[in-house]
Amino acid sequence: LNRATQLRRQPGSALKPLAVYAPAIESAGWTCASVILDAPTAFGTYKPRNAGNAYYGNVTVRTALKNSLNIPAVKVLQAIGVQTAQRYLRSVGIELDERDANLSLALGSMTYGTSPVQMAAAYAPFANGGTYYAPYFIERITDRDGNVIYERETTGTRVLSAQSAYLMTSLLKTVISSGTGTRLSSVGTPVAGKTGTNSDQKGVFFAGMTGYYSSALWVGHDNYKALSSKSTGSRSAAPLWQSY
């Protein structure tokens, strides 16, 4: 099992920037300062809750993402439409099942989940000005005389405008400076990223970027055994990502 490429696990809130806020900013005119009411809300039979059942009234998109609030994320997804989110996710290489077409996608609930390499590649457009490059491992192959017999085509696909990419990076920097990723604020280089914790404690993610790298880290058990109730993306994944 190659855990970087073959693992498929629930990304939790690490999917919020990809499933909710990037498509909202790019396709629906939302901004970092757009306001959402954070209050207990039922979406038909779907009744998500914030962590700790804490609610904060009117909050901006920036506050909602930095504190990883669930109700605002679901409200934004409902406003832009699940299909808009699915189109963006597919454009950055996130594989979806037909059963993923529901509002719980806002919170990273998926039929199969994502791999660390998919998450790392999906976050890269935030940092590089909006272009997605499919992950690859072999750049070129030469024969013994130095003749190039294979070279990877590196033409990417624009998935965000430069402005949208800048705004998303700004939002994800706030996650580090004053949100759920503050453990990374002392890493010694500019960092932007997002934690992801599953409600069933079967794994945690951190996905983020520096000026040079986009990388994602997953912590969990191969046999789906639950982690400690104290394990979160912030407590378990972010410190390892910082060390890396």
Side-chain angles (χ1 to χ4, degrees), residues 18-104:
L18 304 171
V20 178
Y21 296 109
I25 288 173
E26 177 69 11
S27 304
W30 288 69
T31 72
C32 300
S34 297
V35 175
I36 317 121
L37 177 61
D38 178 36
T41 305
F43 303 85
T45 59
Y46 180 46
K47 299 178 181 179
R49 300 181 299 172
N50 285 347
N53 278 321
Y55 302 91
Y56 300 91
N58 286 320
V59 296
T60 63
V61 163
R62 187 179 296 278
T63 297
L65 183 56
K66 81 169 186 174
N67 293 330
S68 202
L69 302 177
N70 290 337
I71 298 300
V74 177
K75 284 187 173 181
V76 174
L77 179 57
Q78 183 183 52
I80 67 173
V82 174
Q83 289 184 334
T84 300
Q86 289 180 300
R87 281 195 299 271
Y88 182 79
L89 288 169
R90 289 191 173 106
S91 77
V92 292
I94 302 296
E95 298 175 39
L96 297 170
D97 185 86
E98 61 181 16
R99 290 167 289 184
D100 295 333
N102 58 74
L103 292 177
S104 66

Coordinates of all heavy atoms in Angstrom, one line a residue, residues 18-104:
L18 N -11.5 23.6 -1.0 CA -11.6 23.1 -2.3 C -13.1 22.9 -2.7 O -13.5 23.2 -3.8 CB -10.9 21.7 -2.4 CG -9.5 21.7 -2.1 CD1 -9.0 20.2 -2.0 CD2 -8.6 22.5 -3.1
A19 N -13.9 22.4 -1.8 CA -15.3 22.1 -2.1 C -16.2 23.3 -2.0 O -17.3 23.4 -2.6 CB -15.8 21.0 -1.3
V20 N -15.8 24.3 -1.1 CA -16.7 25.4 -0.8 C -16.1 26.7 -1.2 O -16.7 27.4 -2.1 CB -17.0 25.4 0.7 CG1 -17.9 26.6 1.1 CG2 -17.6 24.1 1.2
Y21 N -15.0 27.1 -0.6 CA -14.6 28.5 -0.7 C -14.0 28.9 -2.0 O -14.2 30.0 -2.5 CB -13.8 28.9 0.5 CG -14.6 28.8 1.8 CD1 -14.3 27.8 2.7 CD2 -15.6 29.7 2.1 CE1 -15.1 27.6 3.9 CE2 -16.4 29.5 3.2 CZ -16.1 28.5 4.1 OH -16.9 28.4 5.3
A22 N -13.2 28.0 -2.6 CA -12.6 28.3 -3.9 C -13.6 28.5 -5.0 O -13.7 29.5 -5.7 CB -11.5 27.3 -4.3
P23 N -14.6 27.5 -5.1 CA -15.6 27.7 -6.1 C -16.5 28.9 -5.8 O -17.1 29.5 -6.8 CB -16.4 26.4 -6.2 CG -16.0 25.7 -4.9 CD -14.6 26.2 -4.5
A24 N -16.8 29.2 -4.6 CA -17.6 30.3 -4.2 C -17.0 31.6 -4.6 O -17.7 32.5 -5.2 CB -17.9 30.3 -2.7
I25 N -15.7 31.8 -4.4 CA -15.0 33.0 -4.8 C -14.8 33.1 -6.3 O -15.0 34.1 -6.9 CB -13.6 33.0 -4.0 CG1 -13.8 33.3 -2.6 CG2 -12.7 34.1 -4.7 CD1 -12.6 33.2 -1.7
E26 N -14.5 32.0 -6.9 CA -14.2 32.0 -8.4 C -15.5 32.1 -9.2 O -15.5 32.8 -10.2 CB -13.5 30.7 -8.7 CG -13.2 30.5 -10.2 CD -12.2 31.5 -10.8 OE1 -11.5 32.2 -10.0 OE2 -12.1 31.6 -12.0
S27 N -16.5 31.4 -8.8 CA -17.7 31.3 -9.7 C -18.9 32.0 -9.2 O -19.9 32.2 -10.0 CB -18.1 29.8 -9.8 OG -17.0 29.0 -10.3
A28 N -19.0 32.4 -7.9 CA -20.2 33.0 -7.4 C -20.1 34.3 -6.8 O -21.0 34.8 -6.1 CB -20.8 32.0 -6.4
G29 N -18.9 35.0 -6.9 CA -18.7 36.3 -6.4 C -18.6 36.5 -4.9 O -18.7 37.6 -4.4
W30 N -18.3 35.5 -4.2 CA -18.1 35.6 -2.8 C -16.7 36.2 -2.5 O -15.8 36.1 -3.4 CB -18.2 34.3 -2.1 CG -19.6 33.7 -2.0 CD1 -20.4 33.3 -3.0 CD2 -20.4 33.6 -0.8 NE1 -21.6 32.8 -2.5 CE2 -21.6 33.0 -1.2 CE3 -20.2 33.8 0.6 CZ2 -22.6 32.7 -0.3 CZ3 -21.2 33.6 1.5 CH2 -22.4 33.0 1.1
T31 N -16.5 36.9 -1.4 CA -15.2 37.5 -1.0 C -14.8 37.0 0.4 O -15.6 36.4 1.1 CB -15.3 39.0 -1.1 OG1 -16.1 39.4 0.1 CG2 -16.0 39.5 -2.3
C32 N -13.7 37.4 0.8 CA -13.2 37.1 2.1 C -14.1 37.7 3.2 O -14.1 37.3 4.3 CB -11.7 37.5 2.3 SG -10.6 36.7 1.2
A33 N -14.7 38.8 2.8 CA -15.5 39.6 3.8 C -17.0 39.3 3.7 O -17.8 39.9 4.4 CB -15.3 41.1 3.6
S34 N -17.4 38.4 2.8 CA -18.8 38.0 2.7 C -19.3 37.5 4.1 O -18.5 36.8 4.7 CB -19.1 37.0 1.6 OG -18.8 37.6 0.3
V35 N -20.5 37.8 4.5 CA -21.0 37.4 5.8 C -22.0 36.3 5.7 O -22.9 36.3 4.8 CB -21.6 38.6 6.5 CG1 -22.3 38.3 7.8 CG2 -20.6 39.7 6.7
I36 N -21.9 35.3 6.6 CA -22.8 34.2 6.8 C -23.3 34.1 8.2 O -22.5 34.4 9.1 CB -22.1 32.9 6.4 CG1 -21.3 33.0 5.1 CG2 -23.2 31.8 6.2 CD1 -19.8 32.7 5.4
L37 N -24.5 33.7 8.4 CA -25.0 33.6 9.8 C -24.7 32.2 10.3 O -25.1 31.2 9.7 CB -26.6 33.7 9.8 CG -27.2 33.5 11.2 CD1 -26.7 34.5 12.2 CD2 -28.7 33.6 11.1
D38 N -23.9 32.1 11.3 CA -23.5 30.9 12.0 C -24.4 30.6 13.1 O -24.3 31.2 14.2 CB -22.0 31.0 12.4 CG -21.6 29.7 13.1 OD1 -22.0 28.6 12.7 OD2 -20.8 29.8 14.1
A39 N -25.4 29.8 12.9 CA -26.4 29.4 13.9 C -26.9 28.0 13.6 O -26.8 27.5 12.5 CB -27.5 30.4 13.9
P40 N -27.4 27.3 14.6 CA -27.9 25.9 14.4 C -28.9 25.9 13.2 O -29.8 26.7 13.2 CB -28.6 25.6 15.7 CG -27.8 26.4 16.7 CD -27.5 27.7 16.0
T41 N -28.7 25.1 12.2 CA -29.5 25.1 11.0 C -29.7 23.7 10.6 O -28.8 22.8 10.5 CB -28.8 25.9 9.9 OG1 -28.5 27.2 10.3 CG2 -29.7 26.0 8.6
A42 N -31.0 23.4 10.2 CA -31.3 22.1 9.6 C -31.5 22.3 8.1 O -32.2 23.2 7.6 CB -32.6 21.5 10.2
F43 N -30.8 21.5 7.3 CA -30.9 21.5 5.8 C -31.8 20.3 5.4 O -31.2 19.2 5.0 CB -29.6 21.5 5.2 CG -28.6 22.6 5.6 CD1 -27.9 22.5 6.8 CD2 -28.6 23.8 4.9 CE1 -27.1 23.5 7.2 CE2 -27.7 24.8 5.3 CZ -27.0 24.6 6.5
G44 N -33.1 20.4 5.6 CA -33.9 19.2 5.4 C -33.7 18.3 6.6 O -33.7 18.6 7.7
T45 N -33.3 17.0 6.2 CA -33.0 16.0 7.3 C -31.6 16.1 7.7 O -31.2 15.4 8.6 CB -33.3 14.6 6.7 OG1 -32.6 14.4 5.5 CG2 -34.8 14.5 6.4
Y46 N -30.7 16.9 7.0 CA -29.3 17.0 7.3 C -29.1 18.1 8.4 O -29.5 19.2 8.2 CB -28.5 17.3 6.0 CG -27.0 17.5 6.2 CD1 -26.3 16.5 7.0 CD2 -26.3 18.5 5.7 CE1 -25.0 16.6 7.2 CE2 -25.0 18.6 5.8 CZ -24.3 17.7 6.6 OH -22.9 17.8 6.7
K47 N -28.6 17.7 9.5 CA -28.4 18.6 10.6 C -27.0 18.7 11.1 O -26.6 18.1 12.2 CB -29.4 18.3 11.8 CG -30.8 18.3 11.4 CD -31.7 17.9 12.5 CE -33.2 17.9 12.1 NZ -34.1 17.4 13.2
P48 N -26.1 19.3 10.4 CA -24.7 19.4 10.8 C -24.5 20.3 12.1 O -25.4 21.1 12.4 CB -24.0 20.0 9.6 CG -25.0 20.8 9.0 CD -26.3 20.1 9.2
R49 N -23.4 20.1 12.8 CA -23.2 20.9 13.9 C -21.7 21.4 13.9 O -20.9 20.8 13.3 CB -23.4 20.1 15.2 CG -24.8 19.6 15.4 CD -24.9 18.8 16.7 NE -23.9 17.7 16.7 CZ -23.7 16.9 17.8 NH1 -24.3 17.2 18.9 NH2 -22.9 15.9 17.7
N50 N -21.5 22.6 14.5 CA -20.1 23.0 14.7 C -19.4 22.2 15.8 O -20.1 21.6 16.7 CB -20.1 24.5 15.2 CG -20.4 25.4 14.0 OD1 -20.4 25.0 12.8 ND2 -20.7 26.7 14.3
A51 N -18.1 22.1 15.8 CA -17.4 21.5 16.8 C -17.7 22.1 18.2 O -17.7 23.3 18.3 CB -15.9 21.6 16.6
G52 N -18.0 21.3 19.2 CA -18.3 21.8 20.5 C -19.7 22.5 20.6 O -20.0 23.1 21.6
N53 N -20.5 22.4 19.5 CA -21.8 23.0 19.5 C -21.7 24.5 19.8 O -22.6 25.1 20.4 CB -22.8 22.4 20.5 CG -23.4 21.1 19.9 OD1 -23.8 21.1 18.7 ND2 -23.6 20.1 20.7
A54 N -20.6 25.1 19.3 CA -20.4 26.6 19.5 C -20.8 27.3 18.2 O -20.4 26.9 17.1 CB -19.0 26.9 19.9
Y55 N -21.6 28.4 18.4 CA -22.0 29.2 17.2 C -21.7 30.7 17.5 O -21.8 31.1 18.6 CB -23.5 28.9 17.0 CG -23.8 27.5 16.8 CD1 -24.1 26.6 17.8 CD2 -23.7 26.9 15.5 CE1 -24.3 25.3 17.6 CE2 -23.9 25.5 15.3 CZ -24.2 24.7 16.4 OH -24.4 23.4 16.2
Y56 N -21.5 31.4 16.4 CA -20.9 32.8 16.6 C -21.7 33.9 15.9 O -21.2 35.0 15.8 CB -19.5 32.8 16.1 CG -18.6 31.8 16.8 CD1 -18.5 30.5 16.4 CD2 -18.0 32.2 18.0 CE1 -17.7 29.6 17.1 CE2 -17.2 31.3 18.7 CZ -17.1 30.0 18.3 OH -16.3 29.1 19.0
G57 N -22.9 33.6 15.4 CA -23.7 34.6 14.8 C -23.2 35.0 13.4 O -22.6 34.1 12.7
N58 N -23.3 36.2 13.0 CA -22.8 36.7 11.7 C -21.2 36.6 11.7 O -20.6 37.3 12.5 CB -23.3 38.1 11.4 CG -24.7 38.1 11.0 OD1 -25.2 37.2 10.3 ND2 -25.5 39.1 11.5
V59 N -20.7 35.9 10.7 CA -19.2 35.8 10.6 C -18.9 36.0 9.1 O -19.7 35.7 8.2 CB -18.7 34.4 11.1 CG1 -19.0 34.2 12.6 CG2 -19.3 33.3 10.3
T60 N -17.6 36.4 8.9 CA -17.1 36.6 7.5 C -16.6 35.2 7.1 O -16.4 34.3 7.9 CB -16.0 37.6 7.5 OG1 -14.9 37.1 8.3 CG2 -16.5 38.9 8.0
V61 N -16.4 35.1 5.8 CA -15.8 33.9 5.2 C -14.5 33.6 5.8 O -14.1 32.5 6.1 CB -15.7 34.0 3.7 CG1 -14.7 33.0 3.1 CG2 -17.1 33.9 3.0
R62 N -13.7 34.7 6.0 CA -12.4 34.5 6.6 C -12.5 33.9 8.0 O -11.7 32.9 8.4 CB -11.6 35.9 6.7 CG -10.2 35.7 7.2 CD -9.5 37.1 7.2 NE -9.4 37.7 5.9 CZ -8.5 37.4 5.0 NH1 -7.5 36.5 5.3 NH2 -8.4 38.1 3.9
T63 N -13.4 34.4 8.8 CA -13.6 33.8 10.2 C -14.1 32.4 10.1 O -13.7 31.5 10.9 CB -14.5 34.7 11.0 OG1 -13.9 36.0 11.2 CG2 -14.8 34.1 12.4
A64 N -15.0 32.2 9.2 CA -15.6 30.8 9.1 C -14.6 29.8 8.7 O -14.6 28.7 9.3 CB -16.7 30.8 8.1
L65 N -13.7 30.1 7.8 CA -12.6 29.2 7.4 C -11.5 29.1 8.5 O -11.1 27.9 8.8 CB -12.0 29.6 6.1 CG -11.0 28.6 5.5 CD1 -11.6 27.2 5.4 CD2 -10.5 29.1 4.2
K66 N -11.1 30.2 9.0 CA -10.0 30.1 10.0 C -10.4 29.3 11.2 O -9.6 28.6 11.8 CB -9.5 31.4 10.4 CG -10.3 32.1 11.5 CD -9.5 33.4 12.0 CE -10.3 34.0 13.1 NZ -9.5 35.1 13.8
N67 N -11.7 29.3 11.6 CA -12.1 28.6 12.8 C -12.8 27.3 12.4 O -13.4 26.6 13.2 CB -13.1 29.4 13.6 CG -12.4 30.6 14.3 OD1 -11.2 30.5 14.6 ND2 -13.2 31.7 14.5
S68 N -12.8 27.0 11.1 CA -13.3 25.7 10.6 C -14.8 25.5 11.0 O -15.2 24.4 11.4 CB -12.5 24.5 11.0 OG -12.7 23.4 10.1
L69 N -15.6 26.5 10.9 CA -17.0 26.4 11.3 C -17.8 25.6 10.2 O -17.7 25.9 9.0 CB -17.6 27.8 11.4 CG -16.9 28.7 12.5 CD1 -17.6 30.1 12.5 CD2 -16.9 28.1 13.8
N70 N -18.6 24.7 10.7 CA -19.3 23.8 9.7 C -20.6 24.4 9.1 O -20.8 24.2 7.9 CB -19.7 22.5 10.5 CG -18.4 21.7 10.8 OD1 -17.4 21.8 10.1 ND2 -18.5 20.8 11.8
I71 N -21.4 25.1 9.9 CA -22.6 25.6 9.4 C -22.4 26.6 8.3 O -23.0 26.5 7.2 CB -23.5 26.2 10.6 CG1 -23.8 25.2 11.6 CG2 -24.7 26.9 10.0 CD1 -24.7 24.0 11.1
P72 N -21.5 27.6 8.4 CA -21.2 28.5 7.3 C -20.8 27.8 6.0 O -21.2 28.1 4.9 CB -20.2 29.4 7.8 CG -20.4 29.5 9.3 CD -20.8 28.0 9.6
A73 N -19.9 26.7 6.2 CA -19.5 26.0 5.0 C -20.6 25.4 4.3 O -20.7 25.4 3.0 CB -18.4 25.0 5.4
V74 N -21.5 24.7 5.0 CA -22.7 24.1 4.4 C -23.6 25.1 3.7 O -24.1 24.9 2.6 CB -23.4 23.2 5.4 CG1 -24.7 22.6 4.7 CG2 -22.5 22.1 6.0
K75 N -23.8 26.3 4.4 CA -24.6 27.3 3.8 C -24.0 27.9 2.5 O -24.8 28.1 1.6 CB -24.8 28.4 4.8 CG -25.8 28.1 6.0 CD -26.0 29.4 6.8 CE -27.1 29.1 7.8 NZ -27.4 30.3 8.7
V76 N -22.7 28.0 2.5 CA -22.1 28.5 1.3 C -22.2 27.5 0.1 O -22.6 27.8 -1.0 CB -20.6 28.9 1.5 CG1 -19.9 29.3 0.2 CG2 -20.5 30.1 2.5
L77 N -22.0 26.2 0.5 CA -22.2 25.2 -0.6 C -23.6 25.1 -1.1 O -23.9 25.0 -2.3 CB -21.8 23.8 0.0 CG -22.0 22.6 -1.0 CD1 -21.1 22.9 -2.2 CD2 -21.6 21.3 -0.3
Q78 N -24.6 25.3 -0.2 CA -26.0 25.3 -0.6 C -26.3 26.5 -1.5 O -27.0 26.4 -2.5 CB -26.9 25.4 0.6 CG -28.4 25.3 0.3 CD -29.3 25.5 1.5 OE1 -29.1 26.4 2.3 NE2 -30.2 24.6 1.7
A79 N -25.6 27.6 -1.2 CA -25.8 28.8 -2.0 C -25.2 28.7 -3.4 O -25.9 29.1 -4.4 CB -25.3 30.0 -1.3
I80 N -24.1 28.1 -3.5 CA -23.4 28.0 -4.9 C -23.9 26.8 -5.6 O -23.7 26.7 -6.9 CB -21.9 28.0 -4.7 CG1 -21.4 26.8 -4.1 CG2 -21.4 29.3 -4.0 CD1 -19.8 26.7 -4.1
G81 N -24.4 25.8 -4.9 CA -24.8 24.6 -5.6 C -23.8 23.5 -5.5 O -22.6 23.7 -5.8
V82 N -24.2 22.3 -5.2 CA -23.3 21.1 -5.1 C -22.6 20.9 -6.5 O -21.4 20.5 -6.5 CB -24.0 19.9 -4.7 CG1 -23.1 18.7 -4.7 CG2 -24.5 20.1 -3.2
Q83 N -23.3 21.1 -7.6 CA -22.7 20.8 -8.9 C -21.5 21.8 -9.2 O -20.5 21.4 -9.8 CB -23.7 21.0 -10.0 CG -24.7 19.9 -10.0 CD -25.7 20.0 -11.2 OE1 -25.9 21.1 -11.7 NE2 -26.2 18.8 -11.6
T84 N -21.6 23.0 -8.7 CA -20.5 23.9 -8.8 C -19.3 23.4 -8.1 O -18.1 23.5 -8.6 CB -20.9 25.3 -8.3 OG1 -22.0 25.8 -9.1 CG2 -19.7 26.3 -8.4
A85 N -19.5 22.9 -6.9 CA -18.4 22.4 -6.1 C -17.8 21.1 -6.8 O -16.6 21.0 -6.8 CB -18.9 22.0 -4.7
Q86 N -18.7 20.3 -7.3 CA -18.2 19.1 -7.9 C -17.3 19.4 -9.1 O -16.3 18.8 -9.4 CB -19.3 18.2 -8.3 CG -20.1 17.5 -7.2 CD -21.2 16.6 -7.7 OE1 -22.1 17.1 -8.3 NE2 -21.1 15.3 -7.4
R87 N -17.7 20.4 -9.9 CA -17.0 20.8 -11.1 C -15.6 21.2 -10.7 O -14.6 20.9 -11.3 CB -17.7 21.9 -11.9 CG -18.8 21.4 -12.8 CD -19.2 22.4 -13.8 NE -19.7 23.6 -13.1 CZ -21.0 23.8 -12.8 NH1 -21.9 22.9 -13.0 NH2 -21.3 25.0 -12.2
Y88 N -15.5 22.0 -9.6 CA -14.2 22.5 -9.2 C -13.3 21.4 -8.7 O -12.1 21.3 -9.0 CB -14.3 23.6 -8.2 CG -13.0 24.2 -7.8 CD1 -12.3 25.1 -8.6 CD2 -12.3 23.7 -6.7 CE1 -11.0 25.5 -8.3 CE2 -11.0 24.1 -6.4 CZ -10.4 25.0 -7.2 OH -9.1 25.5 -6.9
L89 N -13.9 20.5 -7.8 CA -13.1 19.4 -7.3 C -12.6 18.5 -8.4 O -11.4 18.1 -8.3 CB -14.0 18.6 -6.4 CG -14.4 19.2 -5.0 CD1 -15.5 18.5 -4.3 CD2 -13.1 19.4 -4.1
R90 N -13.4 18.2 -9.4 CA -12.9 17.4 -10.5 C -11.8 18.1 -11.3 O -10.9 17.5 -11.8 CB -14.0 17.0 -11.4 CG -15.0 16.0 -10.7 CD -16.0 15.4 -11.7 NE -16.7 14.3 -11.1 CZ -18.0 14.4 -10.8 NH1 -18.7 15.6 -11.0 NH2 -18.7 13.4 -10.3
S91 N -11.9 19.4 -11.4 CA -10.9 20.2 -12.1 C -9.5 20.2 -11.4 O -8.5 20.4 -12.1 CB -11.4 21.7 -12.3 OG -11.2 22.4 -11.1
V92 N -9.5 19.9 -10.1 CA -8.2 19.8 -9.4 C -7.9 18.4 -9.0 O -7.1 18.1 -8.1 CB -8.2 20.8 -8.2 CG1 -8.2 22.2 -8.6 CG2 -9.3 20.5 -7.2
G93 N -8.5 17.4 -9.7 CA -8.1 16.0 -9.6 C -8.6 15.3 -8.4 O -8.2 14.2 -8.1
I94 N -9.7 15.8 -7.8 CA -10.3 15.1 -6.7 C -11.4 14.2 -7.3 O -12.3 14.6 -7.9 CB -11.0 16.0 -5.6 CG1 -9.9 17.0 -5.1 CG2 -11.7 15.2 -4.5 CD1 -8.8 16.3 -4.3
E95 N -11.2 12.9 -7.0 CA -12.2 11.9 -7.6 C -13.4 11.8 -6.7 O -13.4 11.8 -5.5 CB -11.5 10.5 -7.6 CG -10.3 10.4 -8.5 CD -9.6 9.1 -8.4 OE1 -10.3 8.1 -8.4 OE2 -8.4 9.1 -8.4
L96 N -14.6 11.8 -7.4 CA -15.9 11.8 -6.7 C -16.7 10.6 -7.1 O -16.6 10.1 -8.3 CB -16.6 13.1 -7.0 CG -16.0 14.4 -6.6 CD1 -16.7 15.6 -7.2 CD2 -16.0 14.5 -5.1
D97 N -17.5 10.2 -6.2 CA -18.5 9.2 -6.5 C -19.9 9.9 -6.7 O -20.1 11.0 -6.2 CB -18.6 8.2 -5.3 CG -19.5 7.0 -5.6 OD1 -19.1 6.0 -6.2 OD2 -20.7 7.1 -5.2
E98 N -20.8 9.3 -7.4 CA -22.1 9.9 -7.7 C -22.8 10.1 -6.4 O -23.7 11.0 -6.3 CB -22.9 9.1 -8.6 CG -23.2 7.6 -8.1 CD -24.0 6.8 -9.1 OE1 -24.1 7.2 -10.3 OE2 -24.6 5.8 -8.7
R99 N -22.5 9.3 -5.3 CA -23.2 9.5 -4.0 C -22.6 10.7 -3.3 O -23.1 11.1 -2.2 CB -23.0 8.2 -3.2 CG -23.8 7.1 -3.7 CD -23.3 5.8 -3.1 NE -22.0 5.3 -3.5 CZ -21.4 4.2 -3.2 NH1 -22.0 3.4 -2.3 NH2 -20.2 3.9 -3.6
D100 N -21.6 11.4 -3.8 CA -21.0 12.5 -3.1 C -21.8 13.8 -3.4 O -21.4 14.9 -2.9 CB -19.5 12.7 -3.5 CG -18.7 11.6 -3.0 OD1 -19.0 10.9 -2.0 OD2 -17.6 11.3 -3.7
A101 N -22.8 13.8 -4.2 CA -23.6 15.0 -4.6 C -24.6 15.4 -3.5 O -25.8 15.3 -3.7 CB -24.3 14.7 -5.9
N102 N -24.0 15.8 -2.4 CA -24.9 16.2 -1.3 C -24.2 17.3 -0.4 O -23.0 17.5 -0.6 CB -25.3 15.1 -0.4 CG -24.2 14.3 0.2 OD1 -23.5 14.8 1.1 ND2 -23.9 13.1 -0.4
L103 N -24.9 17.9 0.5 CA -24.3 19.0 1.2 C -23.2 18.6 2.2 O -22.4 19.5 2.6 CB -25.4 19.8 2.0 CG -26.4 20.6 1.1 CD1 -27.5 21.2 2.0 CD2 -25.7 21.6 0.3
S104 N -23.2 17.4 2.6 CA -22.1 16.9 3.5 C -20.8 17.0 2.9 O -19.7 16.9 3.6 CB -22.4 15.5 4.1 OG -22.4 14.6 3.0

